[in-house]
Each structure stands twice: as C-alpha cells, then as structure tokens.
C-alpha cells in the first residue's frame, strides 16, 4: 500500500493512500478529528464516570482500536492517562502496518507539545506484535497484526475506536458480520465510537444490537456516532 504524508488543515499530518484515494484522517484536521471522536466522545465519558464500568476491582479500561495506523489515537489516549489515575489496556488491530520510515516523519509529538513522549510514540510503533507492552504503569499496549476479519477478539472491551477506512472504499469493514463480532466483544455498558455517521452504518449498528447516538462531528463533518451496548 503506497502512502504519502500530507498536512491537514490543523497543521497535523495524515497519510494519503493512492490506491484507495483515501486519507487516514479528516483533511480538516487529523489531531482535531481524533481528539473529537475518540478522546472527547469516546474516552472522556469513561474517565469522568469512572465508577461504573471498569473500576471497583475490575481492572483497567480495555480499549480496542480497529486500525492502529499512524498511532495517533494510541498516543492521544496515552496522553490522557497522564492527566488522571486511569489505567488502560489498549489493543490495536492493524492489517497493514505503517513503516517506521513514515511514522518517524509524522509531526504529532511536536504538535502535541509532547517532546518528552517521543520515546512513547516510537515504542508504540517499534514494540513487538502479539505481546502486551507496558508503556507506563498506567498504559499497556497489545498490537495485533491481522485483519479484523481474521482476528480472534476477547469479549471484554469497554470501548472500541472504530477507525477503519470509510465504507465507500472499504465496505467489507462496515458489514453486519463485522459489527456483530464487535458487539459480542464489548462489555455490557461499553461503547463503540466512529467518525462515520452514514445512515446505513447506523442502521447496521442498530441491527446487531447497539443503541446508536448521533453526536456533532468534528469541524468539516456534521455528525459522528457513538453506539452503546446496553
Ligand atoms: C482510516 S486509517 C486510520 C488509522 C489510525 N487509527 C490512525 O489514526 O492513523 C484505517 C486503518 O485500518 C487499517 N486496516 C485496513 N483494513 C484492515 C483490516 N481488514 N483489518 C485491520 N485493519 C485494517 C489500515 O491499514 C489503516 O491503518
């Protein structure tokens, strides 16, 4: 997969995939979009309502990311752990990893004013696949190099960051079968968040059992989706 670095409207980098004619993030702002969709609408409600789902001796908050890609969502999530006492176990599935040559050139650490976190960002990409790696005493990452279709999921995630390429270019990632697999892997009370709010996607999420909420999207997008397993 040939990928080139582009700059999005908030100054942060993203990748463009020529064969799909698709970007990894919104061209209106990669960091802006990731923060809005995955951190603010996904992670933060869990951190704020810290009592209900994953605390009380139940262990860390278990996050599953579909598509590790540039590692931006993992990095932003790591940064959130620095601001609270939350513990996170972050599992990221990636079928087509981005090479170190490319990730070394991305400007996320610089733009997030997180130079001290450069080793963390480097380790997110350099660490071994298939083995949980503690990046701090609050954040452990497990990278799975496989397709979502083939991967065997645990049934204990509290939060899913669904960050596949859009249904227009990768419809096989937005099927009832895929969402049913994800629904089964979420704890009761858990959520899936995604940037895509297409009607058909919302209907498919509902069909497999999720309760679907449309939320305001990041700049440049009217809506995003948070789907909850009640
Ligand atoms: C929209 S990009 C987002 C990546 C990442 N979240 C980021 O912020 O850079 C979608 C990602 O899904 C990965 N992907 C594509 N098909 C996949 C599949 N079948 N299973 C798992 N990952 C896949 C791509 O390689 C890519 O990294």
């Amino acid at each position: 997969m040939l990928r080139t670095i582009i700059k999005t409207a908030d100054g942060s980098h993203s990748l463009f995939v020529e064969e799909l004619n698709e970007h990894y993030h919104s061209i209106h702002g990669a960091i802006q979009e990731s923060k809005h969709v995955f951190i603010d609408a996904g992670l933060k409600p869990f951190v704020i309502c810290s009592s209900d789902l994953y605390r009380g001796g139940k262990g860390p908050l278990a996050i599953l990311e579909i598509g590790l890609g540039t590692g931006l969502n993992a990095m932003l999530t790591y940064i959130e752990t620095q601001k609270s006492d939350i513990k996170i176990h972050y599992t990221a599935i990636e079928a087509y990893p981005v090479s170190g040559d490319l990730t070394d050139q991305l400007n996320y650490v610089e733009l997030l004013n997180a130079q001290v976190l450069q080793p963390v960002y480097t380790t997110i990409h350099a660490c071994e696949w298939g083995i949980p790696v503690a990046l701090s005493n609050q954040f452990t990452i497990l990278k799975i190099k496989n397709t979502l279709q083939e991967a065997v999921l645990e049934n204990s995630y509290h939060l899913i960051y669904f960050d596949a390429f859009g249904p227009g270019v990768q419809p096989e990632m937005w099927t009832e079968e895929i969402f049913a697999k994800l629904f089964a892997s979420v704890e009761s009370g858990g959520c899936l968040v995604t940037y895509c709010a297409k009607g058909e996607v919302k209907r498919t999420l509902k069909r497999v059992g999720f309760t679907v909420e449309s939320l305001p999207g990041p700049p440049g997008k009217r809506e995003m989706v948070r789907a909850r397993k009640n």
Side-chain angles (χ1 to χ4, degrees):
M1 207 190 279
L2 183 63
R3 291 166 275 213
T4 48
I5 296 178
I6 61 121
K7 202 172 247 191
T8 66
D10 67 358
S12 58
H13 283 151
S14 186
L15 300 177
F16 176 68
V17 187
E18 220 168 286
E19 68 190 73
L20 298 176
N21 191 26
E22 177 89 339
H23 294 92
Y24 271 50
H25 307 95
S26 162
I27 55 165
H28 300 283
I31 288 183
Q32 187 174 252
E33 177 189 49
S34 291
K35 276 187 172 167
H36 183 102
V37 174
F38 301 106
I39 305 302
D40 293 344
L43 179 61
K44 282 193 179 162
F46 281 94
V47 178
I48 293 162
C49 312
S50 56
S51 60
D52 47 343
L53 197 54
Y54 59 96
R55 291 277 172 86
K58 282 193 181 172
L61 180 74
I63 298 178
L64 173 67
E65 176 174 29
I66 308 305
L68 173 70
T70 62
L72 175 57
N73 294 333
M75 184 66 179
L76 290 172
T77 304
Y78 179 93
I79 290 171
E80 289 305 309
T81 63
Q82 308 274 292
K83 303 177 191 164
S84 73
D85 60 355
I86 189 175
K87 283 197 165 71
I88 289 179
H89 192 291
Y90 196 96
T91 301
I93 298 184
E94 177 54 67
Y96 313 103
V98 181
S99 72
D101 286 355
L102 272 185
T103 57
D104 283 353
Q105 296 175 56
L106 299 173
N107 63 2
Y108 301 140
V109 166
E110 182 195 327
L111 290 190
L112 293 165
N113 293 319
Q115 297 299 350
V116 288
L117 298 179
Q118 181 65 59
V120 171
Y121 187 62
T122 303
T123 307
I124 286 172
H125 291 291
C127 70
E128 251 188 89
W129 297 89
I131 298 172
V133 176
L135 300 181
S136 73
N137 58 8
Q138 285 173 260
F139 189 99
T140 297
I141 188 165
L142 168 65
K143 298 192 301 182
I144 298 175
K145 190 174 171 185
N146 203 346
T147 61
L148 172 58
Q149 290 88 337
E150 293 289 324
V152 176
L153 303 181
E154 286 180 18
N155 294 338
S156 54
Y157 299 107
H158 303 110
L159 177 59
I160 297 181
Y161 296 166
F162 193 76
D163 201 10
F165 290 123
V169 297
Q170 226 189 359
E172 68 276 16
M173 294 293 279
W174 303 81
T175 62
E176 194 162 325
E177 195 184 349
I178 288 283
F179 286 143
K181 180 174 181 173
L182 295 177
F183 185 77
S185 79
V186 180
E187 290 258 340
S188 195
C191 283
L192 173 153
V193 279
T194 186
Y195 64 89
C196 179
K198 288 217 158 105
E200 186 50 34
V201 168
K202 290 193 271 190
R203 286 190 287 278
T204 311
L205 286 164
K206 278 183 197 158
R207 274 202 298 280
V208 303
F210 283 108
T211 301
V212 175
E213 251 180 296
S214 297
L215 303 173
K221 283 189 181 161
R222 202 163 59 86
E223 285 184 343
M224 58 158 286
V225 159
R226 183 166 57 206
R228 184 176 292 274
K229 179 170 179 173
N230 291 321

